[in-house]
Amino acid sequence: MNGRLIASWSVVALCGIYFLAPLIATFEFSLRLLRGHYSFEAYRLVFASGDFQSAFLFSAIIGVVTIIVGALIVTPTAYWVQLRLPALRGIVEYITLLPLVVPAIVLVFGYIKLYGSNSILPLTATPFGSDILLMLGYVALGLPYLYRAIDAGMRSIDVKTLSEAAQIQGAGFPTILFRIIIPNIRSSILSGAFLTFAIVIGEFTLASLLDRPAFGPYLQLVGASRAYEPAALAVVAFLITWGCMGIIQWLGNSGSNFSAKR
Amino acid sequence: MLDVTADPVRRPPPARKIAAWAGVAPFFLFAAMFLIVPTFSLMVGAFQNRDGEFTFDNILRLTQPSILHSYALSLEVSAASAFFGALIGFALAAAVIFGGLPRWMRPVLMTFSGVASNFAGVPLAFAFVATLGRMGLVTLLLRNVFDFNLYTSGFNLFTFTGLTLTYLYFQIPLMALVIAPALDGMKQEWREAAEILGASRWQYWRYIAWPILGPSCFGASLLLFANAFGAIATAYSLTGPSLNIVPILLFAQIRGDVLHDPNLGFALAFGMLLITGVSNFAYLALRARSEKWMR
Amino acid sequence: MSKVALLSSVAALAAGALLSSATLSRADDMAALVDAAKKEGQLTVIALPHDWCDYGDLISSFKAKYGLTINELNPDGGSGDEVEAIKANKDNKGPQAPDVIDVGLGFGPSAKADKLIQPYKVATWASIPDDAKDADGYWYGDYYGVLAFAVNTDVVKNAPADWSDLAKPEYKGAFAVVGDPRTANQAAMAVYASGMAGGGDAVGIAKKGLEFFASLNKSGNFVPVTGGAATIAQGTTPIVAMWDYNAMAARDNLKGNPKIDVVVPKSGVVAGVYVQAISAYAPHPAAAKLWMEHLYSDEGQIGWLKGYCHPIRFNDLAAKGKVPADLLAKLPPAADYAQAKFPSLADQKAAKETIAKDWDSTVGATVAK
């Protein structure tokens, strides 16, 4: 099986070089703010403005809520479509592709028109309502990734047999969903969670036009007329987001005591 | 045995179908309220002129050669980055899950992929400029250490190839993340059982692994395709003036400060929705065929 | 008292009362405006980057002076974004609805035609040049700048002095514009400026500009990347054509690392005017008007000058000696601006259409694989 090891190490090594080189280049550039020698001056400037923490925290919290709401909407859908309504597969998948091709600005203007302060559901009239609207917008943006990941995972487990076995034992739908299905597609939900979280942290258009103090708009304010600070910010954002993913991964792992795969 | 789709003999009684419909209702309600209706409340502009009157003018203007050309270009970039992204992403996920690598590599890779999948736009464009641009780190390294001039050998970051290469930065991780759960479901026991029964490696993949993974692979590729199709920020920063893809045209009409014909912009977006629909349809047809094959 | 005397004294009294009430009402108006604005409590602006004409300081000075909250939407937005935002927010009175916009010259009349803006004449209305404002008060010029080259002198030893210099072989792979000429004003005007040396009408100039860029693209001097402070500093695009105020802001922010030279081209000096307007659907109209008063006051105009933008009332202020000498010293010499051409509305429209339509076929056609 040595051939297999060589192949996998080569793939990982090549990909590693491809993914790390641009990050290293950005990092190297961010160290060049002071003429002649490397320094962390750009990072000091970035952290000097106090808004970094509050903006990041805001986005992180919204990100977590988005993941939960998104998973709750997508999982039953993927389940029922696979089990009983395969004819709906086409339309459901098309809907989940829409957020990729509809420009975010069209979406946010649509929200403002439909849920503006003079409408039936005036979500934009209060900060909390705007936060809810923003979160639901993010669920929409994360839908393609969340659905595809959860659907791929569900296809690999025998949903039908698991459900029937559980039903024979008298389990109702919520039990099936929360205690049988979800633990088995843990890695799918985690994948979807990572993708969604990254989107929420970096997203700019929705947050800015709904006037919410998120991380994306904060990044944009650092400015187009600067060179080193945006590079430093990109590196910091990358690292911190990666850290958050690690936390999500750890939380996801510790919650499992039922592992069906190796 | 492994066929988990509909049972041809029994039909579920109506009551259970109702439960299923109730189960998918939240999704459709959400999609209607926060995706479809908001989008279409603006997209009606595709069928209106400046004064709000109904017209097919904008749609007809989509058939201009320059616009058709840009749709073609968009399709090419999306297909290229989806194809290579899917291939390499699959290889990466397979390497980490089945490749006998240390166990800690998987969570590291998956979390990294999560971040990288959304590393796009201006930061990504700048990162690649700083790496492979004329004064990029790797370019200079190759020149100074290996005496190899990247640019005279024909490479240029600011071209179709360069853009596709840059797109792979978020396409590959996306594929890895989406296909990993499917790979997880490939139980070790199946492979062992197949081996015991005398199946060759190829037979295992063709008759056991592919029927399970195939549909998910196609679905993931379609996701990558649509992902690239709608991407604009990276392209705008890296090769904006020279590659005429549809999202940039859209941007120019709705958001820019030179032209301002939002109705044409919405028509362009409408065209993109149509193309996505056609791709989805093609994918479903392909997938149905492959599933029938495998029965 | 005779009838005449009585009548004339009444008239004099009346005139006197009218006159003093006129001066009183000016100050009253302002006080009433400030009160109304404070009651509204907030102002929503859009597409105002802090480094653009030093808007950052203008915004903080406004906040400090009147204590209003300012909602800043979409700092990277283009003029199209701003207009679309007004349209989308017609029925929305929340903080997502922009109160004021700062858009390219061409967008003023079109927003007026679409009934998206409301008229307002600031206290200093008379000192705004006539050709930079709408007679009915719907839109009014705020500042201008000329297209210049920002040159990284660490990488490029000989800065180009004019557009034609850019074609020299020493500048291979060195020149970029900010954005896409079909989308971004700065980029479109760069194409226009490069064709101006030949003279002619707007469309002719635009076509010459396109041909020039086509030759730059062919010879490899033009890099299609979106240029900015980062790409200049990194060395990939050591020469970028941008508004002089943006070039100078970049020069300042880079703090000498690398050293940036801001060069106004010898010929082909194009000036671009931006205009302010108040949204017809503004949720905070009093705050919006107060903002305008702030921007067009001497203090506000000098604030723009700090960001290297020439405020629209520059000539008026200079005549009154209100421009601080140290600020004047920081700007490029006035002689550079002597040749600046301000394309008219019609010219701009024609040029932009030509550039946007023909860019692909003339310049971007060779898509190298």
Side-chain angles (χ1 to χ4, degrees), chain A residues 170-194:
Chain A
F173 176 62
T175 318
I176 297 181
L177 186 69
F178 283 102
R179 299 187 59 191
I180 311 275
I181 303 293
I182 288 188
N184 269 292
I185 55 168
R186 208 169 34 83
S187 75
S188 303
I189 297 191
L190 269 182
S191 283
F194 293 156

Side-chain angles (χ1 to χ4, degrees), chain B residues 27-221:
Chain B
F27 172 82
F28 284 106
L29 187 67
F30 170 80
M33 282 179 74
F34 295 100
L35 188 55
I36 302 177
V37 179
T39 304
F40 282 97
S41 74
L42 257 91
M43 296 281 257
V44 286
F47 298 97
Q48 292 172 336
N49 64 12
R50 258 204 119 84
D51 304 312
E53 298 156 348
F54 184 82
T55 172
F56 273 117
D57 244 1
N58 302 309
I59 307 289
L60 286 175
R61 278 159 76 186
L62 291 183
T63 55
Q64 276 168 38
S66 62
I67 293 190
L68 284 180
H69 176 73
S70 72
Y71 271 113
L73 194 60
S74 276
L75 286 171
E76 280 178 51
V77 175
S78 308
S81 66
F83 179 74
F84 288 107
L87 217 59
I88 303 175
F90 185 89
L92 196 57
V96 151
I97 295 178
F98 298 125
L101 295 172
R103 300 208 73 187
W104 56 263
M105 288 200 106
R106 180 183 172 156
V108 167
L109 186 86
M110 290 300 147
T111 47
F112 182 87
S113 294
V115 199
S117 68
N118 205 49
F119 189 62
V122 173
L124 180 66
F126 181 75
F128 267 81
V129 165
T131 312
L132 288 170
R134 241 172 247 278
M135 301 276 285
L137 211 60
V138 170
T139 316
L140 292 177
L141 198 81
L142 287 174
R143 203 166 62 195
N144 296 337
V145 175
F146 297 101
D147 226 1
F148 174 67
N149 190 325
L150 193 61
Y151 275 76
T152 54
S153 75
F155 175 77
N156 186 341
L157 182 64
F158 310 112
T159 56
F160 180 95
T161 315
L163 187 65
T164 306
L165 190 66
T166 310
Y167 271 19
L168 287 179
Y169 203 88
F170 51 80
Q171 296 283 63
I172 294 175
L174 181 59
M175 181 66 176
L177 273 174
V178 166
I179 209 69
L183 290 174
D184 270 342
M186 304 296 296
K187 297 198 179 23
Q188 179 92 316
E189 302 82 51
W190 299 343
R191 200 203 184 88
E192 286 166 2
E195 253 172 67
I196 288 173
L197 290 173
S200 73
R201 193 78 147 272
W202 184 80
Q203 280 170 321
Y204 169 69
W205 279 101
R206 159 87 170 68
Y207 292 108
I208 297 177
W210 181 244
I212 305 276
L213 289 177
S216 300
C217 279
F218 280 136
S221 304

Side-chain angles (χ1 to χ4, degrees), chain A residues 20 30 34 43 70 104 108 110 140 198 203-204 209 215 242:
Chain A
L20 288 177
S30 71
L34 291 180
Y43 293 88
V108 72
E203 205 283 332
F204 161 70
L209 285 166
F215 194 59
W242 197 1

Side-chain angles (χ1 to χ4, degrees), chain A residues 4-5 8-9 11-12 15 18-19 21-26 28-29 73 76-77 80-82 84-85 88-103 105-107 109-111 113-115 121 123 133 136 139-140 143-145 148-149 152-153 155-158 160 164 167 187-188 191 194-195 198-199 202 231 234 238 241-242 245-246 249 260-262, chain B residues 4 7 10 12 16-17 19-21 23-24 27-28 30-31 33-39 41-42 88 91-92 95 97-102 105-108 110-112 114-115 117-119 123 126-128 130-131 137 165-166 168-169 172-174 177-178 181-182 184-185 188 212 216 219-220 222-223 226-227 229-230 250 255 266 272-273 276-277 280 283-284 287 291:
Chain A
R4 180 161 69 114
L5 257 181
S8 26
W9 274 111
V11 168
V12 171
C15 286
Y18 173 78
F19 283 106
L23 290 175
I24 295 176
T26 307
E28 190 268 342
F29 182 73
I73 292 181
T77 312
W80 287 118
V81 165
Q82 192 183 331
R84 299 225 189 287
L85 301 168
L88 283 186
R89 196 164 64 193
I91 183 78
V92 167
E93 290 188 349
Y94 181 65
I95 290 178
T96 63
L97 286 179
L98 287 182
L100 291 173
V101 284
V102 171
I105 198 143
V106 170
L107 197 65
F109 282 157
Y111 283 175
K113 279 174 94 164
L114 286 176
Y115 306 112
L121 189 62
L123 288 173
L133 191 57
L136 290 170
V139 172
L143 209 56
Y145 310 103
R148 188 55 62 193
R155 269 171 212 289
S156 298
I157 65 178
D158 194 346
K160 194 162 171 304
E164 284 178 359
Q167 273 175 334
S187 75
S188 303
S191 283
F194 293 156
L195 293 165
I199 292 174
F238 199 100
T241 311
W242 197 1
M245 303 273 180
Q249 162 95 36
K261 18 200 154 327
R262 56 193 179 74
Chain B
V4 298
D7 182 321
R10 279 184 312 160
R16 293 165 90 185
K17 261 275 178 23
W21 281 103
V24 297
F27 172 82
F28 284 106
F30 170 80
M33 282 179 74
F34 295 100
L35 188 55
I36 302 177
V37 179
T39 304
S41 74
L42 257 91
I88 303 175
L92 196 57
I97 295 178
F98 298 125
L101 295 172
M105 288 200 106
R106 180 183 172 156
V108 167
M110 290 300 147
T111 47
F112 182 87
V115 199
S117 68
N118 205 49
F119 189 62
F126 181 75
F128 267 81
T131 312
L137 211 60
L165 190 66
T166 310
L168 287 179
Y169 203 88
I172 294 175
L174 181 59
L177 273 174
V178 166
D184 270 342
Q188 179 92 316
I212 305 276
S216 300
L222 179 67
L223 181 69
N227 198 28
F229 197 51
L250 227 162
R255 311 189 56 179
F266 293 129
M272 286 177 73
L273 288 188
T276 310
N280 193 43
Y283 143 79
L284 285 175
R287 182 171 153 166
E291 279 173 355

